[in-house]
Amino acid sequence: VRSVRFSPDGRRFVVTKDNVALMYHAPGKTREFNPFVLDKTYFGPYDETTCIDWTDDSKCFVVGSQDASSWVFGAERWLNLVYYAVEGHKDSITACFFEHNSLDLYTLSRDAVLCVWVCDTQLSGLIPPALREGGGDGVEESVGEQVRGRVETERERVGKVQYRRTAKHFFNKEKDFNELTAAAYHKTSHLLVTGFASGIFHLHELPDFNLVHSLCISDQRIASISINTSGDWIAFGCAGLGQLLVWEWQSESYVLKQQGHFNNLTCLSYSPDAQHIATGGEDGKVKVWSTSSGFCFVTFTEHSSSVTAVTFNHTGYVLVSASLDGTVRAFDLHRYRNFRTFTSPQPTQFCCLAVDSSGELVCAGSQDSFQIFVWSMQTGRLLDVMSGHEAPVSGLAFSPQQGLLASASWDHTVRLWEMFDSWKSQETLNLNAEGMGGGGKGSGVTGEAEWLDRRKMTDFGSTALIDDGADDEEGVAISLPGVRTGDMSSRHYKPEIRVSCLRFSPTGRSWAATTSEGLLIFSLDGSVVFDPFDLDEEVTPVSVRRTVQRQEFTAAVVMAFRLNENCLILEVLESVPHTESEWGGVAGEGGGLEIGADPLETSRHLEFFLLWAQRLLTQHTHTLKSRSGQLLPTIHALQKSLQQQFDSVSKLCDWNRYNMQYTLALSQQRGLKRRVEPPGGSEQDSDMDGNNLPGHLLRDQRPLVSRL
């Protein structure tokens, strides 16, 4: 399938596969036994199809093809338009668009050529299909719902819709070639956006082809373009670099810039609060991602070689990374800068990293000198170099309570080091296999084969990765010599996914892995997915809001928890008066504690949710105690939210108290004449304490405060 496009009225959609266009009836809101019904099958192009576009009234659609032709088909069998072939390009069609409320057409080819086609018939001029006596409309079609188009002669087109080319524009200058890779057209504003293989995009105004703006946004080909409804924002996607750019063309500024790692990811680390994930890649970049939005909000490019390890300190505001370029760097996540660079006396390649619980010691293991280097975070000075391993150091980890450092190596040993006493190895543990990141090397969540059969290894790879059969009932997928159909060279390969690092979230609710497919995050929380339970047709957001309007709060809370949408649950909970006592028990039974931490951080109704959390904790003490193992991460999140709110509110109260004291003291000094202090006067005379103020000011203090 090359492209899919819904009609503007939403009743149909067209799918292009190979050189065929298939039009289906779109499923509606009512339940249907067979919602996807094939309406018509359109034949016409000789090569694979590339793009689709509909008219604004959903009466016709156009399909572009790699054979340099575009075909206009009628969604219905219009008497004057069933199909029409538009030819005038020399290369594959990249995009084709209808004009706003018109059959006029724009076609763009891969060689950066734009053709403007004008139709002699308006959309209102299409003759509805009617029953004809004996047919005779000159349409070649098979029995059923198939439309087979062909290029017609001028005599056969008499009385039917016809197109003529009025203009042909070239994007490339003379002796210059830039391949057109993507295009989008905003019909109401008549703006055409084109992207090229060199990373340049052009913004033109049609039909006059006036250049409005041109900019180079990448050094890779632009793979896709999209325009928002108003036509102000333009989104670009570059598959080569994994870039996503949103450009506001009127102010010429970026709205959003996102880019993944150019090469494979090598390592990752969760922040202590599990809100951020740091990743390192073979491209030498360190990126920090938000787990809630999935966006990368900062990228560090100081490393000149592959990043092998990343980790956060205990506060989560310092990120440390190790690289094969022989440096360990510390980044400040407040100011987004590299404030420390740790190096070794001799050039070495670091492959693992660890930071102690206090954030003072930074340790890195080497893969060429087999040593462990220890630095001070505050001074950046090298404190010690520990030797003892006879192979590359593959993993480091600090003990949370004691000053012990565990190091794993390929020499089949794990060594424990005392960091605050003698800096010597305390104990050596022998392993049965090579130590890989503090654990044994074996099968696990790695995506790799456990055993590799040497007999199946060839110069072209392992033959064990070839599937001998297909999943369907057709039998063997490998074509045999002598068969007429099928490709003898076709093979079905098992997918190969390489997992380089895996980490669990500090909350225990999710884990992430860096793979050859990208950064994958698996979570137990289904907040992103609509996951209702005990649901029927009567439980809808509309019915829940109507129940709230009838002040049936208990039933509304139950219905909201059955839909299991956090936004709706919060809306219902905030609508319930705090004097109601029944809804607390219902919310607790429905799992209301799981959404208790988020509103405390974002909602303005702080006291309401504090009362709500207190009621849940007091009314369901025994239930929460029996489920303490499952609810422990949630209770920790709730405790963290409460502590953050307490800190912020207490600071605000202290600041207000100091301001009131200062304002009160300032108001008491109004109208007073300062007396001249004698030389060598004591400091007590200048105190602003209320005990040294005149009596009439003390008596007038209460009215002043009330007036303030």
Side-chain angles (χ1 to χ4, degrees):
V1 176
R2 296 299 298 269
S3 54
V4 180
R5 182 67 61 91
F6 273 91
S7 61
D9 59 5
R11 298 176 57 187
R12 300 181 179 92
F13 65 93
V14 174
V15 179
T16 59
K17 178 184 179 182
D18 297 332
N19 62 336
V20 181
L22 307 174
M23 186 172 67
Y24 290 85
H25 284 289
K29 296 182 180 180
T30 59
R31 295 185 177 181
E32 303 177 14
F33 175 73
N34 188 12
F36 295 98
V37 179
L38 179 62
D39 186 8
K40 293 181 180 63
T41 303
Y42 297 88
F43 298 88
Y46 295 99
D47 206 341
E48 290 188 1
T49 54
T50 56
C51 53
I52 309 171
D53 191 47
W54 285 83
T55 56
D56 292 337
D57 57 359
S58 305
K59 291 183 179 180
C60 304
F61 65 92
V62 60
V63 176
S65 175
Q66 290 185 359
D67 60 2
S69 66
S70 301
W71 290 78
V72 181
F73 295 105
E76 302 291 342
R77 292 183 175 273
W78 310 109
L79 297 182
N80 54 346
L81 177 60
V82 179
Y83 60 83
Y84 190 93
V86 177
E87 297 177 338
H89 289 277
K90 299 181 180 180
D91 206 340
S92 172
I93 301 297
T94 301
C96 49
F97 307 102
F98 280 108
E99 185 54 274
H100 181 55
N101 290 328
S102 174
L103 284 172
D104 295 344
L105 189 64
Y106 302 106
T107 57
L108 297 99
S109 59
R110 187 170 55 184
D111 57 355
V113 175
L114 168 66
C115 291
V116 182
W117 306 86
V118 176
C119 183
D120 61 354
T121 306
Q122 299 295 327
L123 286 173
S124 58
L126 296 177
I127 303 175
L131 295 177
R132 276 190 166 187
E133 296 292 335
D137 56 354
V139 178
E140 285 190 7
E141 58 177 318
S142 60
V143 179
E145 298 296 329
Q146 292 186 355
V147 176
R148 296 186 176 273
R150 59 180 176 85
V151 179
E152 297 178 329
T153 61
E154 295 182 0
R155 180 177 298 179
E156 292 174 336
R157 295 302 307 173
V158 175
K160 297 182 180 180
V161 172
Q162 296 189 18
Y163 281 88
R164 62 183 180 87
R165 190 178 68 188
T166 58
K168 189 174 184 180
H169 305 285
F170 298 89
F171 291 91
N172 294 325
K173 299 179 181 179
E174 188 178 357
K175 297 182 181 180
D176 185 18
F177 179 77
N178 197 359
E179 181 180 342
L180 179 66
T181 56
Y185 181 59
H186 193 258
K187 297 182 180 180
T188 57
S189 59
H190 307 285
L191 291 177
L192 175 66
V193 185
T194 53
F196 296 87
S198 60
I200 299 175
F201 81 91
H202 296 315
L203 182 62
H204 287 85
E205 184 181 5
L206 296 181
D208 298 331
F209 199 67
N210 297 325
L211 181 62
V212 179
H213 189 70
S214 180
L215 183 68
C216 180
I217 59 175
S218 176
D219 56 357
Q220 299 288 327
R221 64 187 298 269
I222 298 177
S224 58
I225 301 176
S226 180
I227 309 176
N228 69 336
T229 306
S230 62
D232 298 329
W233 291 0
I234 306 172
F236 301 94
C238 302
L241 293 176
Q243 285 180 321
L244 173 61
L245 305 174
V246 180
W247 178 261
E248 211 283 322
W249 65 273
Q250 293 182 348
S251 62
E252 299 183 3
S253 60
Y254 285 107
V255 178
L256 175 68
K257 291 180 65 176
Q258 288 291 306
Q259 179 178 342
H261 289 277
F262 181 72
N263 295 324
N264 293 331
L265 284 81
T266 56
C267 53
L268 71 95
S269 177
Y270 270 97
S271 63
D273 58 357
Q275 297 298 317
H276 302 138
I277 293 180
T279 58
E282 294 179 356
D283 55 358
K285 295 181 180 180
V286 177
K287 293 180 175 289
V288 185
W289 310 78
S290 173
T291 56
S292 58
S293 64
F295 286 151
C296 171
F297 60 89
V298 62
T299 301
F300 300 105
T301 60
E302 282 77 8
H303 286 293
S304 59
S305 185
S306 175
V307 179
T308 55
V310 290
T311 185
F312 288 89
N313 71 337
H314 68 287
T315 63
Y317 299 124
V318 176
L319 176 64
V320 187
S321 62
S323 173
L324 296 180
D325 61 1
T327 63
V328 174
R329 297 179 181 270
F331 302 97
D332 184 3
L333 295 184
H334 281 304
R335 299 176 178 87
Y336 301 134
R337 63 186 181 90
N338 176 207
F339 70 94
R340 286 285 186 275
T341 301
F342 309 100
T343 58
S344 58
Q346 300 294 330
T348 185
Q349 292 182 329
F350 299 111
C351 57
C352 55
L353 184 67
V355 179
D356 72 331
S357 57
S358 65
E360 171 59 25
L361 297 180
V362 178
C363 299
S366 173
Q367 70 176 13
D368 47 8
S369 64
F370 315 148
Q371 294 173 328
I372 301 174
F373 297 84
V374 184
W375 297 275
S376 172
M377 177 70 78
Q378 292 184 357
T379 63
R381 186 169 59 91
L382 181 63
L383 300 179
D384 194 14
V385 178
M386 299 183 294
S387 303
H389 284 292
E390 300 176 357
V393 181
S394 57
L396 295 174
F398 273 97
S399 173
Q401 289 83 18
Q402 303 175 357
L404 291 178
L405 175 67
S407 61
S409 174
W410 291 6
D411 59 1
H412 296 202
T413 61
V414 172
R415 292 179 179 268
L416 302 179
W417 310 81
E418 180 62 42
M419 302 301 295
F420 299 105
D421 187 10
S422 59
W423 300 80
K424 301 296 181 182
S425 176
Q426 295 289 329
E427 187 178 356
T428 301
L429 306 177
N430 294 320
L431 302 176
N432 296 327
E434 297 176 352
M436 303 293 293
K441 181 181 179 181
S443 62
V445 194
T446 61
E448 299 178 354
E450 182 177 2
W451 301 102
L452 199 60
D453 193 348
R454 187 171 56 184
R455 294 174 298 179
K456 296 183 179 181
M457 294 299 297
T458 64
D459 295 338
F460 306 100
S462 176
T463 57
L465 296 176
I466 302 178
D467 277 337
D468 293 333
D471 295 335
D472 51 14
E473 299 178 356
E474 297 179 357
V476 179
I478 301 178
S479 304
L480 300 177
V483 296
R484 295 183 179 179
T485 60
D487 186 5
M488 294 176 57
S489 63
S490 64
R491 297 289 188 273
H492 290 270
Y493 289 92
K494 298 178 182 179
E496 282 188 278
I497 300 177
R498 180 176 177 267
V499 180
S500 56
C501 184
L502 188 147
R503 292 291 183 268
F504 278 89
S505 169
T507 60
R509 304 291 298 174
S510 62
W511 58 277
T514 55
T515 68
S516 55
E517 297 294 317
L519 177 62
L520 307 180
I521 302 177
F522 300 86
S523 176
L524 295 175
D525 300 323
S527 58
V528 181
V529 184
F530 177 64
D531 187 18
F533 60 93
D534 193 17
L535 194 63
D536 54 29
E537 296 181 357
E538 299 179 355
V539 180
T540 61
V542 177
S543 62
V544 172
R545 294 184 177 94
R546 290 177 180 174
T547 307
V548 173
Q549 293 177 358
R550 295 195 300 266
Q551 296 186 358
E552 299 176 2
F553 301 114
T554 303
V557 171
V558 173
M559 295 169 65
F561 273 96
R562 289 173 65 181
L563 280 177
N564 200 17
E565 286 188 355
N566 288 342
C567 297
L568 183 62
I569 293 174
L570 292 179
E571 179 183 350
V572 173
L573 290 180
E574 292 179 353
S575 303
V576 178
H578 70 279
T579 56
E580 294 288 333
S581 59
E582 297 180 358
W583 64 270
V586 176
E589 295 176 0
L593 193 62
E594 280 77 358
I595 63 169
D598 295 336
L600 286 175
E601 297 181 1
T602 58
S603 178
R604 298 174 296 175
H605 311 288
L606 180 59
E607 184 181 3
F608 176 80
F609 282 104
L610 288 176
L611 294 174
W612 172 72
Q614 182 184 11
R615 189 167 300 174
L616 287 179
L617 294 174
T618 54
Q619 292 185 3
H620 300 280
T621 304
H622 299 288
T623 304
L624 295 176
K625 187 175 181 180
S626 61
R627 298 173 55 194
S628 60
Q630 301 176 1
L631 298 177
L632 185 60
T634 305
I635 295 175
H636 285 171
L638 181 61
Q639 182 181 6
K640 175 189 171 184
S641 300
L642 292 174
Q643 185 64 36
Q644 289 181 350
Q645 291 295 338
F646 175 78
D647 295 339
S648 60
V649 173
S650 61
K651 290 180 181 178
L652 181 62
C653 293
D654 292 339
W655 179 255
N656 291 337
R657 182 167 59 89
Y658 296 149
N659 285 338
M660 290 298 296
Q661 291 179 355
Y662 174 76
T663 306
L664 180 60
L666 197 62
S667 65
Q668 292 172 352
Q669 293 295 323
R670 285 182 180 176
L672 291 180
K673 294 183 178 179
R674 296 183 179 271
R675 55 185 179 180
V676 179
E677 298 181 358
S682 62
E683 296 180 357
Q684 297 178 356
D685 297 337
S686 61
D687 291 342
M688 296 299 297
D689 196 352
N691 297 328
N692 298 330
L693 295 175
H696 67 281
L697 286 180
L698 290 176
R699 289 192 301 270
D700 199 32
Q701 181 176 358
R702 189 179 188 88
L704 282 172
V705 175
S706 62
R707 287 197 298 271
L708 287 173

